Amino acid sequence: YQRRVRGKMCATMIAAVLLVLVAVPPATTFPSPVEAKCTPGLTPAAGSLKGTKALLVVTSHSKLGDQNCTSCKPTGVYGEEMTAPYFLFRDAGMETTIATISGGTVPIDPTYNSSLLQTSSDKRFYLDPQAYSDSHNTPAVKDVRFSEYDIVSVSYTHLTLPTKRIV
């Protein structure tokens, strides 16, 4: 009985998600899960972490497979994994640095760029000149002194590591 009920609940949830994906027009902006309205009490107040430093580590890999492969599918960071923590830290007053494995420009997964699920953080990121610059002139991880940062966020693992007590 429990398996049958659980199966019906899962099917209902999947149908609801598909209905939302089909019914929501592409111009809709979804809130980022880390925005204050989505996480009341968990989002630092604007400027509250001034004087501290955050490091976001993201991929340099732009192709699934060998980087020299001409027929491999393009890939990169899935926008929200970089844009949400970037603005969370920056809005809280933290000096925020984006680093990639090899340095240079952050590759953004092209399937995400055409996604209906881009959040307000993603759209804000593309319109922000500082964010653009920060994502196009990244240091390589090997050149970063991790001890200089108060917090390190690593995309693709959803892992945030405080390096010092800042709150």
Side-chain angles (χ1 to χ4, degrees), residues 59-72:
T59 187
S60 292
H61 209 70
S62 61
K63 293 181 182 178
L64 291 174
D66 185 330
Q67 283 295 97
N68 298 319
C69 177
T70 57
S71 62
C72 292

Side-chain angles (χ1 to χ4, degrees), residues 56 58 77 79-88 90 96-98 105-106 108 112-113 118-136 138:
L56 303 178
V58 299
V77 69
E80 178 78 23
E81 293 179 343
M82 176 179 65
T83 64
Y86 178 85
F87 286 118
L88 177 75
R90 201 177 91 178
T96 305
T97 301
I98 300 171
T105 300
V106 175
I108 305 291
Y112 188 78
N113 275 339
Q118 282 192 354
T119 67
S120 53
S121 290
D122 301 321
K123 292 178 182 185
R124 179 180 169 198
F125 194 88
Y126 290 118
L127 296 174
D128 186 299
Q130 181 65 50
Y132 180 88
S133 176
D134 289 349
S135 66
H136 282 72
T138 68

Side-chain angles (χ1 to χ4, degrees), residues 2 12 17 20 22 29 34 36 42 48 62-63 77 93 97 103 106 112 117-118 122 126 142 157-159 162 167:
Q2 286 180 337
T12 302
V17 168
V20 167
V22 171
T29 299
V34 298
L42 297 177
S48 65
S62 61
K63 293 181 182 178
V77 69
T97 301
V106 175
Y112 188 78
L117 298 178
Q118 282 192 354
D122 301 321
Y126 290 118
K142 68 178 179 57
T157 61
H158 305 285
L159 176 67
V167 180

